[in-house]
Amino acid sequence: DTDDLQVLEIYKDTLPETTPLNSCILEESEWRLIRLRLAAAPKTTRKSIRSGSVTLIQVWAIADSKRQGFLGFREFITAMQLVSLAQAGQAVHSDLLSAEVDFENLKPPLMDGLDVLLAKQKRTSKTSEPELNGSPQVQNSPAALWFSSTKSAKKVPLASVTSIVDGLKKLYIQKLKPLEVTYRFNDFVSPLLTNSDFDAKPMVMLLGQYSTGKTTFIKHLLRSSYPGKCAHIGPEPTTDRFVVVMNGPDERSIPGNTVAVQADMPYSGLTTFGTAFLSKFECSQMPHPLLEHITFVDTPGVLSGEKQRTQRSYDFTGVTSWFATKCDLILLLFDPHKLDISDEFKRVISSLRGHDDKIRVVLNKADQVDTQQLMRVYGALMWSLGKVLNTPEVMRVYIGSFNDKPINAAAGPIGTELFEKEQDDLLADLKDIPKKACDRRINEFVKRARAAKIHSYIISHLKKEMPAMMGKAKTQQRLIDNLFDEFAKVQREHHLPAGDFPNVEHFREILSGYNIDKFEKLRPKMLQAVDDMLGYDIPELLKSFRNPYD
């Protein structure tokens, strides 16, 4: 309507003329333009909002709910609505927009004195823009330049980044990636990161034995089926492939080989698992409001009993470990009638080592047993998990029946109330994922940098132990056989925590295929660059994109 168009015009006026609206963001400098109207506003308005007041701190904090350090178009609309409500005399709080507000009759915020400033800004921007053949020259985004050329990345100052994620891209290309390439971190631990890895939406992966309700759980959240070969649901093992359920313009299913080569999707690293896996991998796209914020990963049922004798044609544990690194939340689903943890499931859970903070346990189909049996089932589940999860903390377990059917009457009134509360808690946990996505990305980036440092120490130590001339083959075999002792030497020499070292058996298996003598020696300058990144650059980046009114 007219009011929306006015807000849109206000937003467009704060941007350079060449900026496409679908990619625009509102940075701190543009947001400060909004503050300028406060100085020229009437005294009655200044009482409700003052420049630098608590209200502006709350407006920014609520609008930038994902903690990205900038306001996109939707976040800008939210901020304008909050300012309008504050000017109308309402107290600003996080639940204000979810309350019953008459947005149709809500007037845009007063912006007195802003027109003159914007006119001056437009005149200065037009005179400063370089022109080619009478038309403004189109500039490529800095992020695109960073990933296309390492040389051009060195010319990009930190002040030019437009968000925390863009800053992480720049730091990765300039400081962390050279270290990973030099010491072959991508061969031993994790593939090199691409542009799409930073821009990907938060992911939730579901793991469990067959017929524990993984696919039904996703359909329950979406309130609809998703396209693909795994749409069928039954008591037998039905989902025989990894399915990524993500947002898209239309409903379609994309084969795994096609998904792995698309530059705008963060799945290129899966090519290392071969064609046998990619034939069992697909992407299911559909337009859905929930999928605009979260991507789900549906997995094949973990084999148990006699089924384990039929070997898979790909490294199932390796694939789940790869997805676990990328995911923001991992749900382990159990059935009251399938509490046993098979050997394959045990290996899968063990591969999640280092991602304990992401794991949540779901006891699904809990309405199939009565209250007394549920109490015993819960105790048996916790006992089984205690044998596999080597952590002193108690794992969070959600109990419920996550499907579209009404709760079974056999659960009783106590069980029904319990299931509803547990389901609300789990849904609240899922809703918090987009808000914590930026913090999670920083956390994973720092974790990767520390792992790359330890990896470089290990590789350079093994290189140093190799002789200069004779007996190289024997020395390499001795180092591989005594790898645990070599890890201990590196730990003592550099004062590193033992828990941050990689799995010895996995490292030994990969190391046996390389010639240690061709590894690189320790390069202190590279390690110092990573230390500077962790100690100075990342804190400075977070400081630059904090709440500007706090």
Side-chain angles (χ1 to χ4, degrees):
D1 57 13
T2 307
D3 290 345
D4 290 336
L5 291 175
Q6 290 178 14
V7 175
L8 181 59
E9 288 301 321
I10 292 169
Y11 180 62
K12 289 170 67 178
D13 287 343
T14 63
L15 299 161
E17 290 186 347
T18 56
T19 305
L21 188 59
N22 59 356
S23 64
C24 52
I25 56 178
L26 190 73
E27 298 179 54
E28 183 179 332
S29 58
E30 285 91 4
W31 172 257
R32 292 186 188 280
L33 295 175
I34 299 170
R35 295 177 60 184
L36 294 176
R37 83 114 204 119
L38 300 168
K43 293 182 179 180
T44 55
T45 307
R46 283 185 228 164
K47 291 180 181 179
S48 59
I49 303 180
R50 297 187 306 275
S51 180
S53 67
V54 177
T55 308
L56 277 176
I57 297 174
Q58 293 172 329
V59 168
W60 181 279
I62 296 171
D64 185 22
S65 59
K66 297 181 181 179
R67 305 294 181 265
Q68 299 177 107
F70 64 87
L71 299 184
F73 180 64
R74 292 184 180 180
E75 290 83 3
F76 178 78
I77 294 294
T78 301
M80 291 295 97
Q81 290 173 342
L82 289 170
V83 172
S84 296
L85 291 170
Q87 289 176 351
Q90 297 199 40
V92 176
H93 52 85
S94 57
D95 298 329
L96 181 59
L97 294 177
S98 60
E100 294 183 1
V101 179
D102 187 9
F103 290 108
E104 293 183 0
N105 297 321
L106 184 65
K107 296 181 179 180
L110 298 176
M111 307 291 275
D112 298 339
L114 187 61
D115 296 336
V116 178
L117 183 69
L118 290 175
K120 290 181 181 179
Q121 188 185 35
K122 282 185 178 180
R123 284 198 296 269
T124 55
S125 63
K126 285 181 179 179
T127 55
S128 61
E129 280 180 359
E131 293 193 1
L132 186 64
N133 295 330
S135 61
Q137 191 172 1
V138 179
Q139 300 288 335
N140 289 328
S141 66
L145 294 174
W146 300 336
F147 278 85
S148 61
S149 172
T150 308
K151 293 181 180 178
S152 62
K154 296 179 180 178
K155 301 176 184 178
V156 180
L158 187 64
S160 67
V161 299
T162 57
S163 67
I164 292 177
V165 174
D166 277 346
L168 293 179
K169 291 179 187 177
K170 171 184 174 292
L171 292 174
Y172 176 74
I173 291 297
Q174 292 185 1
K175 298 192 175 182
L176 185 55
K177 188 177 180 180
L179 184 75
E180 294 183 359
V181 173
T182 302
Y183 295 101
R184 309 188 187 193
F185 182 80
N186 55 314
D187 295 335
F188 283 81
V189 183
S190 177
L192 299 175
L193 298 180
T194 60
N195 205 350
S196 57
D197 289 315
F198 288 93
D199 297 329
K201 293 182 178 68
M203 285 195 289
V204 177
M205 180 169 64
L206 288 83
L207 288 170
Q209 298 186 35
Y210 71 91
S211 192
T212 53
K214 299 184 295 296
T215 305
T216 306
F217 182 89
I218 297 176
K219 292 184 177 181
H220 174 63
L221 292 177
L222 300 179
R223 302 293 182 186
S224 65
S225 299
Y226 56 84
K229 297 180 180 179
C230 302
H232 172 65
I233 296 175
E236 76 281 5
T238 52
T239 304
D240 64 340
R241 60 192 64 228
F242 282 80
V243 183
V244 174
V245 186
M246 63 189 304
N247 190 54
D250 56 354
E251 293 192 7
R252 61 172 180 155
S253 179
I254 308 174
N257 285 282
T258 306
V259 175
V261 296
Q262 288 189 334
D264 59 338
M265 292 188 179
Y267 307 113
S268 58
L270 291 172
T271 53
T272 57
F273 297 102
T275 309
F277 165 71
L278 293 177
S279 63
K280 295 290 186 181
F281 172 59
E282 69 179 37
C283 174
S284 178
Q285 286 188 344
M286 61 181 294
H288 196 280
L290 178 60
L291 297 178
E292 292 179 3
H293 305 284
I294 300 176
T295 297
F296 292 96
V297 181
D298 194 5
T299 61
V302 179
L303 301 179
S304 61
E306 289 293 321
K307 301 181 190 66
Q308 292 183 110
R309 296 186 179 182
T310 305
Q311 295 295 322
R312 300 184 193 268
S313 56
Y314 59 90
D315 182 10
F316 181 80
T317 305
V319 173
T320 54
S321 178
W322 186 92
F323 273 109
T325 306
K326 305 282 184 182
C327 285
D328 293 67
L329 198 67
I330 302 169
L331 298 180
L332 300 181
L333 273 75
F334 289 89
D335 187 319
H337 305 291
K338 294 188 180 72
L339 294 178
D340 59 312
I341 298 178
S342 62
D343 293 339
E344 185 178 53
F345 203 7
K346 185 177 181 180
R347 289 195 299 271
V348 168
I349 295 176
S350 299
S351 71
L352 304 179
R353 176 177 171 263
H355 307 289
D356 300 333
D357 57 323
K358 302 179 183 180
I359 299 176
R360 306 288 187 275
V361 179
V362 178
L363 180 57
N364 199 15
K365 304 181 182 180
D367 62 342
Q368 295 182 358
V369 295
D370 58 33
T371 307
Q372 184 182 15
Q373 291 173 330
L374 180 61
M375 182 180 64
R376 294 174 178 173
V377 165
Y378 180 81
L381 175 61
M382 297 302 291
W383 184 85
S384 299
L385 289 172
K387 296 287 185 180
V388 181
L389 296 170
N390 297 321
T391 56
E393 295 83 9
V394 178
M395 192 64 62
R396 177 67 166 97
V397 179
Y398 295 98
I399 304 172
S401 182
F402 300 95
N403 53 55
D404 295 331
K405 298 178 182 178
I407 297 176
N408 193 346
I414 298 177
T416 303
E417 184 181 359
L418 172 66
F419 297 159
E420 289 175 352
K421 288 182 178 179
E422 289 286 290
Q423 182 162 336
D424 291 342
D425 289 347
L426 179 55
L427 292 177
D429 209 351
L430 291 173
K431 287 179 181 177
D432 281 343
I433 293 175
K435 297 179 181 179
K436 299 176 181 177
C438 191
D439 295 334
R440 175 76 68 182
R441 198 149 284 149
I442 298 167
N443 182 62
E444 292 298 324
F445 186 83
V446 172
K447 189 190 298 185
R448 183 184 181 93
R450 297 189 191 283
K453 273 186 60 181
I454 291 179
H455 177 78
S456 62
Y457 282 131
I458 294 172
I459 294 296
S460 58
H461 171 78
L462 295 174
K463 168 67 176 178
K464 186 177 68 174
E465 294 294 313
M466 292 293 290
M469 297 291 292
M470 306 293 292
K472 292 184 178 181
K474 290 183 178 179
T475 305
Q476 173 158 335
Q477 190 59 46
R478 177 180 60 80
L479 290 173
I480 293 175
D481 293 340
N482 302 324
L483 194 58
F484 184 82
D485 296 332
E486 301 302 323
F487 278 14
K489 291 179 183 178
V490 175
Q491 180 192 349
R492 289 193 298 270
E493 182 180 355
H494 299 284
H495 309 287
L496 301 171
D500 290 350
F501 277 73
N503 182 272
V504 176
E505 296 300 326
H506 179 68
F507 198 92
R508 179 184 288 123
E509 182 181 348
I510 300 175
L511 184 63
S512 59
Y514 286 88
N515 185 353
I516 298 180
D517 191 49
K518 293 184 178 180
F519 286 164
E520 292 287 339
K521 295 181 180 179
L522 191 67
R523 297 188 181 182
K525 287 186 178 180
M526 279 190 174
L527 290 168
Q528 185 60 46
V530 175
D531 286 336
D532 291 342
M533 179 188 72
L534 294 173
Y536 302 102
D537 295 333
I538 292 180
E540 191 65 27
L541 178 67
L542 298 179
K543 184 180 178 181
S544 302
F545 290 97
R546 68 183 182 184
N547 191 328
Y549 307 105
D550 198 349

